[in-house]
Amino acid sequence: MHKKYKEDIKHVDLDGVSVQRILKNHCQGNEKYPVPLVFSPSFEIPMLSEVFLNEIGDLSYIISQTPGVWLDAQVYQLKQDFFFSWVILEGILDETELSEMMDLYIKILTEIDKSEGGNLDE
């Protein structure tokens, strides 16, 4: 799984809107269209530098927008912890679906972290 993540991260410069345009063109006339969900784990790159945190302080609130997606699931490293942010288009998923997705997502991220010798589950 980690190998696949490393391979996928090579395509980080291709933004979500571009991917949606490519998929739309590729899927024209087809009933099946991919659901626009974005998962953006960032284990190795801290969200904020130590300099920023020392000058401004701890993060307590974040605003994020990813146009055209139903769910933008982000994970950032903050100091020695991880910060999870899910931006969800209202009315698309119910609470049960969201809860199940979050539980599975955390399980997958924990497995990746453990394979790297981390301690995400603590």
Side-chain angles (χ1 to χ4, degrees):
M1 187 179 300
H2 182 68
K3 184 178 178 183
K4 177 158 177 32
Y5 171 73
K6 288 286 192 181
E7 182 63 31
D8 291 346
I9 200 73
K10 292 177 184 176
H11 307 286
V12 73
D13 291 332
L14 186 62
D15 65 87
V17 174
S18 297
V19 169
Q20 287 183 348
R21 286 185 185 129
I22 292 167
L23 288 172
K24 181 180 177 188
N25 291 333
H26 180 72
C27 296
Q28 272 185 330
N30 187 344
E31 291 178 8
K32 295 182 181 179
Y33 183 75
V35 176
L37 305 177
V38 177
F39 293 89
S40 308
S42 179
F43 291 118
E44 298 171 357
I45 304 168
M47 181 180 183
L48 303 171
S49 70
E50 287 296 322
V51 172
F52 179 91
L53 292 170
N54 290 337
E55 293 295 322
I56 305 297
D58 290 334
L59 180 69
S60 61
Y61 186 77
I62 187 170
I63 296 175
S64 175
Q65 293 181 339
T66 307
V69 302
W70 293 359
L71 167 66
D72 184 7
Q74 304 166 16
V75 180
Y76 300 104
Q77 183 179 355
L78 286 173
K79 297 182 182 178
Q80 298 301 316
D81 296 322
F82 289 95
F83 176 80
F84 290 80
S85 171
W86 279 34
V87 180
I88 302 157
L89 184 62
E90 202 171 327
I92 295 294
L93 301 167
D94 66 37
E95 291 293 323
T96 302
E97 291 170 321
L98 287 173
S99 180
E100 289 172 358
M101 287 176 68
M102 177 61 97
D103 290 345
L104 182 58
Y105 190 54
I106 290 173
K107 180 181 176 190
I108 291 168
L109 292 177
T110 302
E111 288 173 7
I112 292 170
D113 185 60
K114 280 183 182 177
S115 74
E116 295 295 308
N119 60 355
L120 184 60
D121 60 342
E122 294 180 2

